[in-house]
Amino acid sequence: MIETGKAGLSARNRNILVQDLNVNPEWLETGRGAMFNAEPDLTTYHHRTDNSLPMQSVPLYSIEGTAGLVPLFADQAQAKPVNYIHIPNLPKCDGAIYIVGDSMYPLLKSGDIVLYKQLCNIEDIFWGDMYLLSIDIDGEEYVTVKYIQKSDRSGFVKLVSQNPHHADKDVAIDRIRAIALVKASIRMNSIRRNSGYRASWSGYLNLVGTNGFAWSSAPDSASSGQGSYLYFDKSGVDPESHYNRARGFPVRCVQE
């Protein structure tokens, strides 16, 4: 029995507690700190005609894993999600992705998740709303989130950022290869997800903003002289990793 300490917690059950139930991994390992991480911030962008669903499971995709937004939209049924977001009272969404960049800051920041509804025809856009776009730039795909407004130039649309340091840009409509209406955004409020680590051989900080690490109080039973730790990235949690304790897990950056 787990409750009496006669049986350990399996890796599968650890993942369920951390990923699905938002349990704080430090509390799970040591009993210290709050039982649950802070709840993620959910922001929705409704239209008057939207009908919310009581509950839906939205597939979360990796743009890197699908080789871009265009292949994902072209054959989403065959794309393999990295996870699912179970969320209530939201209009129908086709999928979700992590975003990169600060053009929509502070409304959106790098690492946030946007949930989208794919559009088949750019003529169906609502001027002034927020969209997820794939734009062709010299044969390369550029994926971004922008407000779309009318342009003074025929055959163009104006892409507008939230961040005042990013200038508006007119883009030819025929360069837009894929487009989706942003229905909601999620911001995770857990510092452990992206704390990174201090390298033992150099002292430099690595993977800050993308990966999280946390030492366990117990040594690793499968390796001599190494410690166990929990590892986080955008695809999930590995609670049974091990490495030399000379590495600095976790790292909190403080600017003086």
PDB file of all heavy atoms in Angstrom, residues 4 17-18 68 77-78 88 172 176-177 250:
ATOM      1  N   THR A   4       0.750   3.354   3.379  1.00  0.00           N
ATOM      2  CA  THR A   4       1.473   2.876   4.556  1.00  0.00           C
ATOM      3  C   THR A   4       2.973   2.827   4.345  1.00  0.00           C
ATOM      4  O   THR A   4       3.727   2.490   5.257  1.00  0.00           O
ATOM      5  CB  THR A   4       0.975   1.477   4.937  1.00  0.00           C
ATOM      6  OG1 THR A   4       1.241   0.570   3.857  1.00  0.00           O
ATOM      7  CG2 THR A   4      -0.510   1.486   5.250  1.00  0.00           C
ATOM      8  N   LEU A  17       0.135  12.125 -11.476  1.00  0.00           N
ATOM      9  CA  LEU A  17      -0.008  13.119 -10.410  1.00  0.00           C
ATOM     10  C   LEU A  17       0.566  14.475 -10.827  1.00  0.00           C
ATOM     11  O   LEU A  17      -0.035  15.522 -10.569  1.00  0.00           O
ATOM     12  CB  LEU A  17       0.698  12.628  -9.145  1.00  0.00           C
ATOM     13  CG  LEU A  17       0.044  11.458  -8.417  1.00  0.00           C
ATOM     14  CD1 LEU A  17       0.955  10.941  -7.308  1.00  0.00           C
ATOM     15  CD2 LEU A  17      -1.305  11.853  -7.834  1.00  0.00           C
ATOM     16  N   VAL A  18       1.721  14.458 -11.481  1.00  0.00           N
ATOM     17  CA  VAL A  18       2.389  15.714 -11.838  1.00  0.00           C
ATOM     18  C   VAL A  18       1.753  16.368 -13.056  1.00  0.00           C
ATOM     19  O   VAL A  18       1.463  17.562 -13.066  1.00  0.00           O
ATOM     20  CB  VAL A  18       3.896  15.466 -12.071  1.00  0.00           C
ATOM     21  CG1 VAL A  18       4.573  16.722 -12.600  1.00  0.00           C
ATOM     22  CG2 VAL A  18       4.562  15.026 -10.780  1.00  0.00           C
ATOM     23  N   GLY A  68       6.402  21.720 -39.079  1.00  0.00           N
ATOM     24  CA  GLY A  68       5.792  23.002 -39.399  1.00  0.00           C
ATOM     25  C   GLY A  68       4.281  22.994 -39.317  1.00  0.00           C
ATOM     26  O   GLY A  68       3.641  21.951 -39.155  1.00  0.00           O
ATOM     27  N   ALA A  77      -5.004  14.680 -38.861  1.00  0.00           N
ATOM     28  CA  ALA A  77      -5.488  13.386 -38.387  1.00  0.00           C
ATOM     29  C   ALA A  77      -4.341  12.395 -38.207  1.00  0.00           C
ATOM     30  O   ALA A  77      -4.422  11.476 -37.376  1.00  0.00           O
ATOM     31  CB  ALA A  77      -6.529  12.825 -39.347  1.00  0.00           C
ATOM     32  N   GLN A  78      -3.267  12.569 -38.991  1.00  0.00           N
ATOM     33  CA  GLN A  78      -2.131  11.656 -38.910  1.00  0.00           C
ATOM     34  C   GLN A  78      -1.034  12.158 -37.960  1.00  0.00           C
ATOM     35  O   GLN A  78      -0.116  11.400 -37.633  1.00  0.00           O
ATOM     36  CB  GLN A  78      -1.535  11.450 -40.305  1.00  0.00           C
ATOM     37  CG  GLN A  78      -2.488  10.801 -41.295  1.00  0.00           C
ATOM     38  CD  GLN A  78      -2.940   9.421 -40.843  1.00  0.00           C
ATOM     39  OE1 GLN A  78      -2.147   8.617 -40.357  1.00  0.00           O
ATOM     40  NE2 GLN A  78      -4.235   9.153 -40.985  1.00  0.00           N
ATOM     41  N   PRO A  88     -12.686  22.737 -19.889  1.00  0.00           N
ATOM     42  CA  PRO A  88     -14.134  22.930 -19.996  1.00  0.00           C
ATOM     43  C   PRO A  88     -14.512  24.316 -20.515  1.00  0.00           C
ATOM     44  O   PRO A  88     -13.701  25.246 -20.512  1.00  0.00           O
ATOM     45  CB  PRO A  88     -14.588  22.773 -18.544  1.00  0.00           C
ATOM     46  CG  PRO A  88     -13.451  23.344 -17.745  1.00  0.00           C
ATOM     47  CD  PRO A  88     -12.196  23.043 -18.533  1.00  0.00           C
ATOM     48  N   ALA A 172       1.702  40.057 -48.141  1.00  0.00           N
ATOM     49  CA  ALA A 172       0.856  39.635 -49.255  1.00  0.00           C
ATOM     50  C   ALA A 172       0.025  38.424 -48.862  1.00  0.00           C
ATOM     51  O   ALA A 172       0.544  37.483 -48.246  1.00  0.00           O
ATOM     52  CB  ALA A 172       1.715  39.312 -50.477  1.00  0.00           C
ATOM     53  N   ILE A 176       0.560  33.758 -47.231  1.00  0.00           N
ATOM     54  CA  ILE A 176       0.031  33.088 -46.039  1.00  0.00           C
ATOM     55  C   ILE A 176      -0.324  31.657 -46.422  1.00  0.00           C
ATOM     56  O   ILE A 176      -1.244  31.408 -47.189  1.00  0.00           O
ATOM     57  CB  ILE A 176      -1.196  33.831 -45.481  1.00  0.00           C
ATOM     58  CG1 ILE A 176      -0.802  35.252 -45.074  1.00  0.00           C
ATOM     59  CG2 ILE A 176      -1.776  33.073 -44.296  1.00  0.00           C
ATOM     60  CD1 ILE A 176      -1.967  36.106 -44.591  1.00  0.00           C
ATOM     61  N   ARG A 177       0.404  30.696 -45.870  1.00  0.00           N
ATOM     62  CA  ARG A 177       0.250  29.293 -46.250  1.00  0.00           C
ATOM     63  C   ARG A 177      -0.723  28.538 -45.355  1.00  0.00           C
ATOM     64  O   ARG A 177      -1.265  27.509 -45.743  1.00  0.00           O
ATOM     65  CB  ARG A 177       1.619  28.613 -46.220  1.00  0.00           C
ATOM     66  CG  ARG A 177       2.643  29.294 -47.127  1.00  0.00           C
ATOM     67  CD  ARG A 177       4.031  28.756 -46.893  1.00  0.00           C
ATOM     68  NE  ARG A 177       4.115  27.322 -47.185  1.00  0.00           N
ATOM     69  CZ  ARG A 177       5.152  26.562 -46.838  1.00  0.00           C
ATOM     70  NH1 ARG A 177       6.164  27.095 -46.169  1.00  0.00           N
ATOM     71  NH2 ARG A 177       5.172  25.281 -47.138  1.00  0.00           N
ATOM     72  N   PRO A 250      17.612  22.469  -8.698  1.00  0.00           N
ATOM     73  CA  PRO A 250      17.257  23.369  -9.785  1.00  0.00           C
ATOM     74  C   PRO A 250      18.064  24.653  -9.692  1.00  0.00           C
ATOM     75  O   PRO A 250      18.810  24.846  -8.751  1.00  0.00           O
ATOM     76  CB  PRO A 250      15.769  23.642  -9.522  1.00  0.00           C
ATOM     77  CG  PRO A 250      15.675  23.593  -8.028  1.00  0.00           C
ATOM     78  CD  PRO A 250      16.657  22.524  -7.580  1.00  0.00           C
TER      79      PRO A 250
END
